[in-house]
Amino acid sequence: MSEMIKLGGLLMVITAIAATALAGVYSVAKPRIDEQKAMAVEQALNTALPNTDAESVESGNSNNDLSYYMAFDSDSAKKPKAYAYIAKGAGYSSMIETMVGVDTTGTIVGMKVLSQTETPGLGTRIEEVKYGEEKPWFQQQFIGLDADSVALEQNGGSIQAITGATISSQAVTRSVTEGYEQLLQQRRQ
């Protein structure tokens, strides 16, 4: 019996040391992690809002469901000329986050996947750049479409799903439409 208490106490001490070490590493790495996330968002904004000066982009109100940004003309700081929002959709094995840029009429002007950990070779193809091209082919299909009506071909839309990754394709498509609806609701408030 006393042997079990000894082992239990030893396990508790080891666990406490490991937890303390992890907390220490996290506190040291947290600023760098936040810096990397901010850089990823900034790069995604450049892609989602092409031809926009980075200094004219401001963060809008955000809640747990939607984060969005507004781009202004250099001569008018009161009326946004475009928006970017982070669309989130549940893929096959991860939450897919996409930065989507739309103009004031709701036409998609740019798009970039922020994060995903889908199945390699299948769902990860949402970021695939075909040989000879410069941009991801799946995301380029969204450019010029109305954000409130994008859909896969199998659902009556014009977006070609990725073979073997229909769930990931649907997640991105659905999240773009749902994110745009949330953006409109936020702007009405």
Side-chain angles (χ1 to χ4, degrees):
M1 180 71 174
S2 68
E3 189 66 27
M4 286 183 64
I5 293 173
K6 264 185 177 177
L7 288 174
L10 181 63
L11 184 60
M12 187 174 79
V13 169
I14 291 171
T15 303
I17 291 171
T20 303
L22 280 174
V25 169
Y26 179 75
S27 68
V28 170
K30 176 94 169 87
R32 189 172 171 111
I33 292 169
D34 291 343
E35 184 180 314
Q36 292 296 317
K37 284 182 180 177
M39 285 176 42
V41 168
E42 187 177 318
Q43 289 174 349
L45 278 171
N46 288 336
T47 302
L49 297 172
N51 305 321
T52 301
D53 181 15
E55 293 180 10
S56 70
V57 177
E58 294 179 10
S59 178
N61 291 334
S62 64
N63 56 30
N64 292 335
D65 295 331
L66 182 73
S67 294
Y68 72 95
Y69 302 85
M70 300 174 290
F72 295 92
D73 280 326
S74 57
D75 58 342
S76 172
K78 297 195 183 243
K79 192 172 181 182
K81 70 174 186 177
Y83 300 94
Y85 59 93
I86 298 175
K88 298 177 184 176
Y92 183 75
S93 59
S94 71
M95 181 64 68
I96 302 171
E97 293 186 357
T98 310
M99 179 75 75
V100 182
V102 294
D103 64 14
T104 54
T105 64
T107 302
I108 297 172
V109 295
M111 184 171 171
K112 179 164 180 52
V113 172
L114 274 175
S115 68
Q116 57 85 16
T117 54
E118 295 292 288
T119 307
L122 295 174
T124 56
R125 292 184 59 207
I126 59 175
E127 296 186 274
E128 177 185 54
V129 178
K130 288 184 176 177
Y131 179 76
E133 296 182 6
E134 295 180 5
K135 298 180 178 178
W137 68 273
F138 180 73
Q139 297 168 47
Q140 288 300 304
Q141 296 180 87
F142 290 79
I143 309 301
L145 300 177
D146 292 331
D148 61 351
S149 62
V150 293
L152 297 177
E153 286 178 340
Q154 64 194 33
N155 298 329
S158 61
I159 305 293
Q160 180 184 4
I162 298 168
T163 304
T166 306
I167 294 173
S168 303
S169 304
Q170 286 177 334
V172 173
T173 305
R174 191 177 322 113
S175 70
V176 168
T177 303
E178 292 173 356
Y180 184 66
E181 290 172 7
Q182 291 174 346
L183 175 68
L184 292 178
Q185 289 175 357
Q186 289 275 327
R187 295 299 301 154
R188 287 187 198 121
Q189 295 175 356

Short mmCIF file of all heavy atoms in Angstrom, two decimals, residues 127-168:
data_model
loop_
_atom_site.label_atom_id
_atom_site.label_comp_id
_atom_site.label_asym_id
_atom_site.label_seq_id
_atom_site.Cartn_x
_atom_site.Cartn_y
_atom_site.Cartn_z
N GLU A 127 -4.94 24.59 -50.94
CA GLU A 127 -3.86 25.57 -51.09
C GLU A 127 -2.91 25.20 -52.23
O GLU A 127 -1.87 25.83 -52.38
CB GLU A 127 -3.06 25.68 -49.79
CG GLU A 127 -3.86 26.22 -48.63
CD GLU A 127 -2.99 26.44 -47.41
OE1 GLU A 127 -2.80 25.47 -46.65
OE2 GLU A 127 -2.51 27.57 -47.25
N GLU A 128 -3.27 24.22 -53.03
CA GLU A 128 -2.39 23.74 -54.08
C GLU A 128 -2.23 24.77 -55.21
O GLU A 128 -3.20 25.35 -55.68
CB GLU A 128 -2.98 22.45 -54.67
CG GLU A 128 -2.19 21.89 -55.82
CD GLU A 128 -2.89 20.69 -56.43
OE1 GLU A 128 -4.08 20.80 -56.81
OE2 GLU A 128 -2.24 19.65 -56.54
N VAL A 129 -1.00 24.97 -55.61
CA VAL A 129 -0.69 25.81 -56.76
C VAL A 129 -0.24 24.87 -57.87
O VAL A 129 0.74 24.14 -57.72
CB VAL A 129 0.42 26.82 -56.43
CG1 VAL A 129 0.77 27.65 -57.66
CG2 VAL A 129 0.01 27.71 -55.27
N LYS A 130 -0.97 24.87 -58.97
CA LYS A 130 -0.64 23.97 -60.07
C LYS A 130 0.65 24.41 -60.75
O LYS A 130 1.00 25.59 -60.74
CB LYS A 130 -1.78 23.93 -61.09
CG LYS A 130 -3.00 23.20 -60.59
CD LYS A 130 -4.04 23.11 -61.67
CE LYS A 130 -5.22 22.28 -61.19
NZ LYS A 130 -6.29 22.21 -62.18
N TYR A 131 1.29 23.44 -61.37
CA TYR A 131 2.56 23.71 -62.06
C TYR A 131 2.33 24.80 -63.11
O TYR A 131 1.41 24.73 -63.91
CB TYR A 131 3.08 22.43 -62.72
CG TYR A 131 4.36 22.63 -63.48
CD1 TYR A 131 5.56 22.76 -62.82
CD2 TYR A 131 4.35 22.72 -64.87
CE1 TYR A 131 6.75 22.95 -63.50
CE2 TYR A 131 5.53 22.91 -65.57
CZ TYR A 131 6.72 23.03 -64.87
OH TYR A 131 7.88 23.22 -65.56
N GLY A 132 3.19 25.79 -63.09
CA GLY A 132 3.10 26.88 -64.06
C GLY A 132 2.21 28.03 -63.64
O GLY A 132 2.15 29.04 -64.32
N GLU A 133 1.48 27.86 -62.55
CA GLU A 133 0.61 28.93 -62.06
C GLU A 133 1.25 29.56 -60.83
O GLU A 133 2.15 29.00 -60.22
CB GLU A 133 -0.78 28.38 -61.74
CG GLU A 133 -1.50 27.86 -62.98
CD GLU A 133 -2.90 27.36 -62.66
OE1 GLU A 133 -3.36 27.52 -61.52
OE2 GLU A 133 -3.52 26.82 -63.58
N GLU A 134 0.75 30.73 -60.46
CA GLU A 134 1.31 31.44 -59.31
C GLU A 134 0.40 31.44 -58.10
O GLU A 134 0.84 31.73 -57.00
CB GLU A 134 1.62 32.89 -59.72
CG GLU A 134 2.70 33.00 -60.76
CD GLU A 134 2.97 34.44 -61.15
OE1 GLU A 134 2.38 35.34 -60.53
OE2 GLU A 134 3.78 34.65 -62.05
N LYS A 135 -0.87 31.16 -58.32
CA LYS A 135 -1.83 31.25 -57.22
C LYS A 135 -2.59 29.93 -57.08
O LYS A 135 -2.73 29.19 -58.05
CB LYS A 135 -2.81 32.39 -57.47
CG LYS A 135 -2.10 33.74 -57.53
CD LYS A 135 -3.06 34.85 -57.79
CE LYS A 135 -2.31 36.17 -57.79
NZ LYS A 135 -3.15 37.29 -58.08
N PRO A 136 -3.12 29.65 -55.89
CA PRO A 136 -3.87 28.41 -55.67
C PRO A 136 -5.13 28.36 -56.54
O PRO A 136 -5.96 29.27 -56.48
CB PRO A 136 -4.24 28.47 -54.18
CG PRO A 136 -3.33 29.47 -53.59
CD PRO A 136 -2.97 30.43 -54.66
N TRP A 137 -5.23 27.32 -57.34
CA TRP A 137 -6.32 27.23 -58.31
C TRP A 137 -7.69 27.15 -57.65
O TRP A 137 -8.66 27.71 -58.16
CB TRP A 137 -6.11 26.03 -59.25
CG TRP A 137 -6.25 24.69 -58.57
CD1 TRP A 137 -5.29 23.98 -57.93
CD2 TRP A 137 -7.45 23.92 -58.45
NE1 TRP A 137 -5.80 22.83 -57.41
CE2 TRP A 137 -7.12 22.75 -57.72
CE3 TRP A 137 -8.75 24.09 -58.87
CZ2 TRP A 137 -8.07 21.77 -57.41
CZ3 TRP A 137 -9.69 23.12 -58.57
CH2 TRP A 137 -9.35 21.97 -57.85
N PHE A 138 -7.80 26.43 -56.52
CA PHE A 138 -9.11 26.30 -55.89
C PHE A 138 -9.61 27.65 -55.40
O PHE A 138 -10.77 28.02 -55.63
CB PHE A 138 -9.04 25.29 -54.72
CG PHE A 138 -10.37 25.12 -54.02
CD1 PHE A 138 -11.40 24.42 -54.62
CD2 PHE A 138 -10.58 25.66 -52.77
CE1 PHE A 138 -12.62 24.27 -53.99
CE2 PHE A 138 -11.78 25.50 -52.12
CZ PHE A 138 -12.81 24.82 -52.73
N GLN A 139 -8.75 28.41 -54.77
CA GLN A 139 -9.14 29.72 -54.24
C GLN A 139 -9.42 30.72 -55.36
O GLN A 139 -10.28 31.59 -55.22
CB GLN A 139 -8.06 30.25 -53.31
CG GLN A 139 -7.85 29.37 -52.08
CD GLN A 139 -6.59 29.74 -51.33
OE1 GLN A 139 -6.33 30.90 -51.08
NE2 GLN A 139 -5.81 28.73 -50.96
N GLN A 140 -8.70 30.60 -56.47
CA GLN A 140 -8.90 31.53 -57.58
C GLN A 140 -10.28 31.40 -58.21
O GLN A 140 -10.77 32.33 -58.85
CB GLN A 140 -7.81 31.32 -58.65
CG GLN A 140 -6.45 31.81 -58.21
CD GLN A 140 -6.46 33.30 -57.89
OE1 GLN A 140 -6.83 34.13 -58.71
NE2 GLN A 140 -6.09 33.65 -56.66
N GLN A 141 -10.93 30.25 -58.03
CA GLN A 141 -12.27 30.08 -58.57
C GLN A 141 -13.28 31.02 -57.94
O GLN A 141 -14.32 31.32 -58.53
CB GLN A 141 -12.77 28.64 -58.34
CG GLN A 141 -11.98 27.57 -59.04
CD GLN A 141 -12.57 26.21 -58.73
OE1 GLN A 141 -13.49 25.78 -59.43
NE2 GLN A 141 -12.07 25.57 -57.69
N PHE A 142 -12.99 31.51 -56.74
CA PHE A 142 -13.94 32.35 -56.01
C PHE A 142 -13.87 33.82 -56.47
O PHE A 142 -14.83 34.56 -56.28
CB PHE A 142 -13.66 32.30 -54.51
CG PHE A 142 -13.99 30.99 -53.87
CD1 PHE A 142 -13.13 29.90 -53.98
CD2 PHE A 142 -15.16 30.83 -53.15
CE1 PHE A 142 -13.43 28.69 -53.39
CE2 PHE A 142 -15.47 29.62 -52.55
CZ PHE A 142 -14.60 28.54 -52.67
N ILE A 143 -12.76 34.21 -57.05
CA ILE A 143 -12.56 35.62 -57.41
C ILE A 143 -13.58 36.04 -58.47
O ILE A 143 -13.76 35.37 -59.48
CB ILE A 143 -11.12 35.86 -57.94
CG1 ILE A 143 -10.07 35.29 -56.98
CG2 ILE A 143 -10.89 37.34 -58.21
CD1 ILE A 143 -10.11 35.86 -55.59
N GLY A 144 -14.25 37.14 -58.19
CA GLY A 144 -15.24 37.67 -59.12
C GLY A 144 -16.65 37.17 -58.88
O GLY A 144 -17.59 37.62 -59.53
N LEU A 145 -16.81 36.21 -57.96
CA LEU A 145 -18.16 35.69 -57.66
C LEU A 145 -18.78 36.47 -56.51
O LEU A 145 -18.08 37.09 -55.71
CB LEU A 145 -18.08 34.21 -57.29
CG LEU A 145 -17.50 33.26 -58.35
CD1 LEU A 145 -17.44 31.84 -57.78
CD2 LEU A 145 -18.35 33.29 -59.61
N ASP A 146 -20.11 36.44 -56.43
CA ASP A 146 -20.80 37.07 -55.32
C ASP A 146 -20.63 36.19 -54.08
O ASP A 146 -20.93 34.99 -54.12
CB ASP A 146 -22.29 37.24 -55.62
CG ASP A 146 -22.52 38.26 -56.71
OD1 ASP A 146 -21.69 39.19 -56.83
OD2 ASP A 146 -23.52 38.13 -57.43
N ALA A 147 -20.20 36.79 -52.99
CA ALA A 147 -19.91 36.03 -51.77
C ALA A 147 -21.15 35.38 -51.18
O ALA A 147 -21.05 34.37 -50.49
CB ALA A 147 -19.26 36.94 -50.73
N ASP A 148 -22.32 35.92 -51.48
CA ASP A 148 -23.53 35.36 -50.88
C ASP A 148 -24.11 34.20 -51.67
O ASP A 148 -25.09 33.59 -51.25
CB ASP A 148 -24.59 36.44 -50.69
CG ASP A 148 -25.01 37.09 -52.00
OD1 ASP A 148 -24.38 36.82 -53.03
OD2 ASP A 148 -25.98 37.86 -51.97
N SER A 149 -23.50 33.86 -52.79
CA SER A 149 -24.08 32.78 -53.60
C SER A 149 -23.06 31.79 -54.14
O SER A 149 -23.36 31.08 -55.09
CB SER A 149 -24.88 33.39 -54.76
OG SER A 149 -24.02 34.13 -55.59
N VAL A 150 -21.86 31.74 -53.55
CA VAL A 150 -20.90 30.75 -54.04
C VAL A 150 -21.35 29.35 -53.64
O VAL A 150 -21.90 29.16 -52.55
CB VAL A 150 -19.46 31.01 -53.53
CG1 VAL A 150 -18.91 32.29 -54.10
CG2 VAL A 150 -19.40 31.02 -52.03
N ALA A 151 -21.16 28.42 -54.54
CA ALA A 151 -21.53 27.03 -54.26
C ALA A 151 -20.72 26.12 -55.17
O ALA A 151 -20.23 26.53 -56.22
CB ALA A 151 -23.03 26.82 -54.51
N LEU A 152 -20.60 24.88 -54.74
CA LEU A 152 -19.92 23.88 -55.56
C LEU A 152 -20.78 23.54 -56.78
O LEU A 152 -22.01 23.71 -56.75
CB LEU A 152 -19.65 22.61 -54.75
CG LEU A 152 -18.71 22.75 -53.55
CD1 LEU A 152 -18.59 21.42 -52.82
CD2 LEU A 152 -17.33 23.23 -53.98
N GLU A 153 -20.15 23.04 -57.84
CA GLU A 153 -20.88 22.65 -59.04
C GLU A 153 -21.99 21.65 -58.72
O GLU A 153 -23.09 21.74 -59.24
CB GLU A 153 -19.92 22.03 -60.07
CG GLU A 153 -19.03 23.03 -60.75
CD GLU A 153 -18.05 22.39 -61.71
OE1 GLU A 153 -17.80 21.16 -61.60
OE2 GLU A 153 -17.53 23.11 -62.57
N GLN A 154 -21.70 20.71 -57.83
CA GLN A 154 -22.69 19.69 -57.48
C GLN A 154 -23.90 20.27 -56.75
O GLN A 154 -24.93 19.62 -56.64
CB GLN A 154 -22.05 18.58 -56.63
CG GLN A 154 -21.56 19.08 -55.28
CD GLN A 154 -20.64 18.08 -54.61
OE1 GLN A 154 -19.91 17.37 -55.27
NE2 GLN A 154 -20.69 18.01 -53.31
N ASN A 155 -23.77 21.50 -56.27
CA ASN A 155 -24.88 22.17 -55.59
C ASN A 155 -25.44 23.32 -56.44
O ASN A 155 -26.11 24.20 -55.93
CB ASN A 155 -24.43 22.71 -54.23
CG ASN A 155 -23.98 21.59 -53.30
OD1 ASN A 155 -24.50 20.48 -53.37
ND2 ASN A 155 -23.03 21.86 -52.45
N GLY A 156 -25.11 23.31 -57.73
CA GLY A 156 -25.64 24.32 -58.63
C GLY A 156 -24.77 25.55 -58.79
O GLY A 156 -25.17 26.50 -59.45
N GLY A 157 -23.61 25.55 -58.22
CA GLY A 157 -22.71 26.70 -58.33
C GLY A 157 -21.66 26.49 -59.40
O GLY A 157 -21.79 25.62 -60.27
N SER A 158 -20.60 27.28 -59.34
CA SER A 158 -19.56 27.20 -60.36
C SER A 158 -18.20 26.79 -59.79
O SER A 158 -17.22 26.75 -60.52
CB SER A 158 -19.42 28.56 -61.04
OG SER A 158 -19.03 29.55 -60.09
N ILE A 159 -18.13 26.48 -58.50
CA ILE A 159 -16.86 26.09 -57.88
C ILE A 159 -16.64 24.59 -58.08
O ILE A 159 -17.47 23.77 -57.66
CB ILE A 159 -16.84 26.41 -56.37
CG1 ILE A 159 -17.14 27.89 -56.12
CG2 ILE A 159 -15.51 25.99 -55.75
CD1 ILE A 159 -16.09 28.84 -56.63
N GLN A 160 -15.50 24.25 -58.70
CA GLN A 160 -15.15 22.85 -58.91
C GLN A 160 -14.55 22.30 -57.62
O GLN A 160 -13.53 22.82 -57.14
CB GLN A 160 -14.16 22.72 -60.05
CG GLN A 160 -13.74 21.30 -60.34
CD GLN A 160 -12.68 21.23 -61.43
OE1 GLN A 160 -12.20 22.24 -61.92
NE2 GLN A 160 -12.31 20.01 -61.78
N ALA A 161 -15.16 21.25 -57.07
CA ALA A 161 -14.65 20.64 -55.83
C ALA A 161 -13.35 19.91 -56.11
O ALA A 161 -13.07 19.50 -57.24
CB ALA A 161 -15.68 19.66 -55.27
N ILE A 162 -12.56 19.75 -55.08
CA ILE A 162 -11.31 19.01 -55.19
C ILE A 162 -11.63 17.52 -55.12
O ILE A 162 -12.32 17.07 -54.19
CB ILE A 162 -10.35 19.41 -54.06
CG1 ILE A 162 -10.01 20.90 -54.17
CG2 ILE A 162 -9.10 18.57 -54.09
CD1 ILE A 162 -9.31 21.46 -52.97
N THR A 163 -11.15 16.77 -56.07
CA THR A 163 -11.39 15.33 -56.11
C THR A 163 -10.85 14.68 -54.84
O THR A 163 -9.69 14.87 -54.49
CB THR A 163 -10.72 14.70 -57.34
OG1 THR A 163 -11.19 15.36 -58.50
CG2 THR A 163 -11.02 13.21 -57.42
N GLY A 164 -11.72 13.95 -54.14
CA GLY A 164 -11.32 13.27 -52.92
C GLY A 164 -11.34 14.17 -51.70
O GLY A 164 -10.99 13.71 -50.60
N ALA A 165 -11.72 15.42 -51.86
CA ALA A 165 -11.75 16.35 -50.73
C ALA A 165 -13.02 17.20 -50.77
O ALA A 165 -12.98 18.42 -50.61
CB ALA A 165 -10.51 17.23 -50.73
N THR A 166 -14.13 16.53 -51.00
CA THR A 166 -15.39 17.24 -51.11
C THR A 166 -15.76 17.94 -49.81
O THR A 166 -16.27 19.06 -49.83
CB THR A 166 -16.52 16.26 -51.51
OG1 THR A 166 -16.12 15.57 -52.69
CG2 THR A 166 -17.82 16.98 -51.76
N ILE A 167 -15.46 17.31 -48.68
CA ILE A 167 -15.81 17.93 -47.39
C ILE A 167 -15.02 19.22 -47.19
O ILE A 167 -15.57 20.24 -46.77
CB ILE A 167 -15.57 16.94 -46.23
CG1 ILE A 167 -16.54 15.76 -46.35
CG2 ILE A 167 -15.73 17.63 -44.88
CD1 ILE A 167 -16.29 14.65 -45.36
N SER A 168 -13.75 19.21 -47.52
CA SER A 168 -12.93 20.42 -47.40
C SER A 168 -13.44 21.49 -48.36
O SER A 168 -13.53 22.67 -48.00
CB SER A 168 -11.46 20.11 -47.70
OG SER A 168 -10.98 19.11 -46.85
#
